[in-house]
Amino acid sequence: MKKTTKLAVSLIASTVLATTASLFIDGIPISGKPKSVNVKRVKIEHINYPNETKEFTDKKNIELTLALLGYLRTSPIKRSTDEPMLVKITYDLTDGSRFTVEANSSSALINGKYNTVHDKNTFVKMCTAAFFIKK
């Protein structure tokens, strides 16, 4: 019985340690992001492209913007700056609510909650490349 308990405690401790290390190394993914079936419209704005606001209602671009959120991970230990937000994505949901994400190289405002970005510039660069650079 004692061997089983020691083994279980060791496994749980290892799992907690590995998960914690992974979150510090890879960052924390955004929680509460909408599912594509619940999004009726997406609006993307970029401060460096003021006359090129993008709006989408098609499934392909909605899914692309949601996939981009996978590149926005937050960090509890990194520092952010007071730079202006470069990218803003607004999701209008089918229930009438909104989910908004604003980001710059080091900070993110997710549904009104301020976060520090784990991987600087990745999210902003991905959004810029996907929607604002002419192909």
Side-chain angles (χ1 to χ4, degrees):
M1 182 86 158
K2 288 184 179 187
K3 276 188 174 182
T4 306
T5 304
K6 283 184 180 182
L7 180 61
V9 169
S10 294
L11 286 173
I12 291 170
S14 297
T15 303
V16 169
L17 181 62
T19 302
T20 303
S22 174
L23 292 176
F24 278 105
I25 292 169
D26 298 329
I28 302 167
I30 304 175
S31 63
K33 66 182 180 180
K35 295 181 181 178
S36 63
V37 295
N38 297 331
V39 178
K40 68 178 179 182
R41 184 175 75 100
V42 177
K43 180 179 176 183
I44 305 171
E45 302 167 272
H46 196 299
I47 197 169
N48 295 334
Y49 300 88
N51 299 324
E52 296 186 41
T53 298
K54 311 290 183 179
E55 292 190 36
F56 304 107
T57 57
D58 62 290
K59 182 179 178 182
K60 178 183 171 187
N61 282 307
I62 288 172
E63 288 178 351
L64 176 59
T65 62
L66 289 169
L68 286 172
L69 293 180
Y71 291 98
L72 183 59
R73 294 177 167 263
T74 61
S75 175
I77 58 172
K78 293 193 176 187
R79 293 188 179 212
S80 61
T81 61
D82 291 335
E83 299 171 16
M85 298 297 175
L86 298 175
V87 174
K88 180 178 181 180
I89 303 177
T90 304
Y91 297 90
D92 290 327
L93 306 179
T94 54
D95 66 1
S97 63
R98 280 193 169 155
F99 182 81
T100 59
V101 175
E102 296 180 64
N104 62 32
S105 64
S106 63
S107 307
L109 192 61
I110 303 166
N111 254 4
K113 185 179 176 202
Y114 192 75
N115 295 276
T116 303
V117 172
H118 178 73
D119 190 9
K120 295 187 181 291
N121 293 319
T122 300
F123 177 71
V124 172
K125 285 182 180 180
M126 295 296 286
C127 288
T128 304
F131 295 108
F132 294 98
I133 294 178
K134 306 260 190 264
K135 298 174 184 172

